Amino acid sequence: MARVFSGIKPTGHLTLGNYLGAVRRWAEVDQHRSDALFCVVDLHALTVEHDPARVLRLSRQAATLLLASGLDPELCTVFLQSHVDEHTRLSYLLECVATDGEMRRMIQYKEKAPRERERGGSVRLSLLTYPVLMAADILAYGADEVPVGEDQTQHVELTRDLAVRFNQRYGHTFVVPRATPPVVAARVMNLQDPTSKMGKSDDSGSGIVHLLDEPAVVRRKVMRAVTDSGRDVEYDREARPGVANLLEILAACTGGDPKALAGDYASYGALKKDTAEAVVEVLGPIRARHRELCADPSYVEGVLRRGAEKARAMARPTVDAVHRAIGLVPAVSEPVPDPVR
Ligand code: AQP
């Protein structure tokens, strides 16, 4: 059975992009056909200026939303990254295999570092190195597949490179994983700027549909989506990114094909209306289940505690093997005897 690992950063409220690009597949497909682990990667949220209370709140909310979206702790392992020390243990060892040039080439670093400087802050070293932590997240579990949206493929490529390099230098230790992006909605775009990804750390508001948005809010955001001055509904990501984005969202929500759906519409207004209703329908059960789970926080805590125990037991043998392969003396598991006096 394939091993699957994926994660989500508590850097903002989960978006429709997170759901259609990743979480829905985790719930509907991956947890049923594989040995799957899903993680709130809270350490990744510390790589930029952050408010500790907000990260704490968003981490709990993200975990609750993963369960509300259909992850079943009987079928998969759900946990918080910071609860399993093996991720950071392995990350340092992989930093000893990665190069600084590789880190500086990461698109997300190139995009975010200037943003941090513009905000008047300095750039945290962790913003440069967190792709290695992400590699550790994946490699610690021997994952074969990493179901992610398109924006994460460069990070999975780096993970593959580090795994191959380590195996060549120190002996076969890691499974080399591969990214598995979804067929539709691999990159849901911002409704107000269809050339940018709908990202949760972007607070600009009306272009981003959050999973917990009320139906009226969803309808308003979709109806105001930026399209273009044309009239015909055509699926063309380059020439008509706004319309293509709506068609992709509609297709992902209803199970159709964006190109085929374009033929059903004679106006942008009708397309927006159907897209809005399809999104409202998809989000309704998630919001309802989220309300129920919020009424029972000890259930969510229990799931995360048991998930972390299971994850730790799965990751430890791999990380111990990495220690041995790279030349570190294994930690002694039995109590150390008193020295002879
Ligand atoms: N717009 C999107 N379309 C499709 N998939 C998406 N994902 C994120 N946005 C989209 C996928 O969701 C998973 C978790 O994402 P994440 O937490 O790593 O990233 P984010 O939601 O994009 O959060 P940020 O903080 O806004 O990220 P960045 O770092 O990009 O600024 C992933 O599988 C991702 O592909």
Side-chain angles (χ1 to χ4, degrees), residues 6-23 25-26 41 44-45 47-48 108 111-112 115 127 130 134 146-153 155 182 184-190 196-202:
S6 206
I8 196 145
K9 280 196 290 275
T11 41
H13 300 283
L14 265 59
T15 71
L16 184 65
N18 295 130
Y19 183 69
L20 297 180
V23 179
R25 214 161 26 116
W26 303 350
V41 285
H44 292 274
T47 55
V48 289
Q108 298 219 359
E111 284 176 358
K112 285 184 184 172
R115 248 188 270 158
L127 185 63
Y130 86 88
M134 180 169 160
V146 191
V148 282
E150 224 171 59
D151 58 315
Q152 291 297 334
T153 44
H155 286 154
V184 186
R187 194 174 178 84
V188 177
M189 308 308 269
N190 187 308
S196 307
K197 184 187 85 166
M198 186 185 282
K200 71 173 120 50
S201 56
D202 175 358

Side-chain angles (χ1 to χ4, degrees), residues 8 13-20 23-24 61-62 65-66 68-69 208-215 218 221 279-280 282-288 290:
I8 196 145
H13 300 283
L14 265 59
T15 71
L16 184 65
N18 295 130
Y19 183 69
L20 297 180
V23 179
R24 186 175 63 170
Q61 190 197 61
L65 272 171
L66 291 184
S69 300
I208 297 161
V209 176
H210 295 110
L211 294 193
L212 293 176
D213 279 348
E214 298 282 339
V218 173
K221 288 178 177 174
V279 174
V280 166
V282 164
L283 299 190
I286 299 173
R287 288 175 50 246
H290 178 261

Side-chain angles (χ1 to χ4, degrees), residues 206-229:
S206 58
I208 297 161
V209 176
H210 295 110
L211 294 193
L212 293 176
D213 279 348
E214 298 282 339
V217 175
V218 173
R219 289 190 183 103
R220 195 174 60 237
K221 288 178 177 174
V222 177
M223 293 309 290
R224 290 185 187 164
V226 167
T227 45
D228 55 55
S229 54

Side-chain angles (χ1 to χ4, degrees), residues 10-339:
T11 41
H13 300 283
L14 265 59
T15 71
L16 184 65
N18 295 130
Y19 183 69
L20 297 180
V23 179
R24 186 175 63 170
R25 214 161 26 116
W26 303 350
E28 290 181 1
V29 182
D30 295 318
Q31 68 174 350
H32 297 285
R33 66 164 185 96
S34 63
D35 179 9
L37 298 108
F38 301 109
C39 181
V40 176
V41 285
D42 48 359
L43 298 173
H44 292 274
L46 313 183
T47 55
V48 289
E49 187 68 35
H50 72 279
D51 168 12
R54 185 165 188 263
V55 169
L56 189 115
R57 214 171 42 245
L58 289 173
S59 298
R60 290 201 174 115
Q61 190 197 61
T64 309
L65 272 171
L66 291 184
L67 299 176
S69 300
L71 291 192
D72 177 350
E74 298 297 320
L75 298 174
C76 67
T77 307
V78 183
F79 64 105
L80 296 178
Q81 179 192 32
S82 63
H83 289 183
V84 181
D85 292 343
E86 273 60 30
H87 294 239
T88 44
R89 270 178 78 202
L90 181 56
S91 181
Y92 178 75
L93 301 175
L94 290 175
E95 280 185 22
C96 299
V97 177
T99 67
D100 72 322
E102 274 172 324
M103 297 301 104
R104 289 180 202 284
R105 280 198 293 277
M106 290 287 123
I107 294 163
Q108 298 219 359
Y109 176 73
K110 287 195 204 163
E111 284 176 358
K112 285 184 184 172
R115 248 188 270 158
E116 289 297 295
R117 286 192 196 99
E118 267 166 35
R119 284 182 190 147
S122 46
V123 178
R124 297 177 185 195
L125 182 58
S126 56
L127 185 63
L128 183 66
T129 58
Y130 86 88
V132 179
L133 177 58
M134 180 169 160
D137 299 336
I138 297 165
L139 297 179
Y141 298 100
D144 304 284
E145 293 173 24
V146 191
V148 282
E150 224 171 59
D151 58 315
Q152 291 297 334
T153 44
Q154 191 191 29
H155 286 154
V156 181
E157 276 307 308
L158 173 78
T159 304
R160 290 171 59 83
D161 291 346
L162 296 182
V164 168
R165 194 176 308 152
F166 190 99
N167 287 348
Q168 282 168 351
R169 267 188 210 164
Y170 303 113
H172 189 86
T173 310
F174 291 123
V175 173
V176 181
R178 66 187 176 91
T180 52
V183 181
V184 186
R187 194 174 178 84
V188 177
M189 308 308 269
N190 187 308
L191 297 176
Q192 287 300 311
D193 174 9
T195 57
S196 307
K197 184 187 85 166
M198 186 185 282
K200 71 173 120 50
S201 56
D202 175 358
D203 279 335
S204 64
S206 58
I208 297 161
V209 176
H210 295 110
L211 294 193
L212 293 176
D213 279 348
E214 298 282 339
V217 175
V218 173
R219 289 190 183 103
R220 195 174 60 237
K221 288 178 177 174
V222 177
M223 293 309 290
R224 290 185 187 164
V226 167
T227 45
D228 55 55
S229 54
R231 297 172 124 223
D232 300 333
V233 178
E234 275 172 38
Y235 180 70
D236 183 338
R237 273 187 111 173
E238 293 300 312
R240 298 183 168 191
V243 174
N245 193 33
L246 291 171
L247 286 165
E248 291 228 4
I249 293 172
L250 179 62
C253 290
T254 58
D257 168 69
K259 222 173 188 161
L261 279 170
D264 296 345
Y265 291 93
S267 76
Y268 292 171
L271 170 63
K272 286 181 177 178
K273 194 160 178 294
D274 281 3
T275 306
E277 292 315 313
V279 174
V280 166
E281 195 158 315
V282 164
L283 299 190
I286 299 173
R287 288 175 50 246
R289 180 77 183 121
H290 178 261
R291 258 197 313 276
E292 284 168 21
L293 289 166
C294 285
D296 188 2
S298 61
Y299 168 76
V300 178
E301 268 170 38
V303 168
L304 296 177
R305 198 178 47 250
R306 285 189 295 280
E309 281 163 15
K310 225 171 120 189
R312 214 173 289 130
M314 287 159 106
R316 186 158 293 167
T318 305
V319 183
D320 286 346
V322 176
H323 266 241
R324 285 192 297 275
I326 210 167
L328 298 172
V329 177
V332 181
S333 50
E334 300 87 356
V336 180
D338 280 342

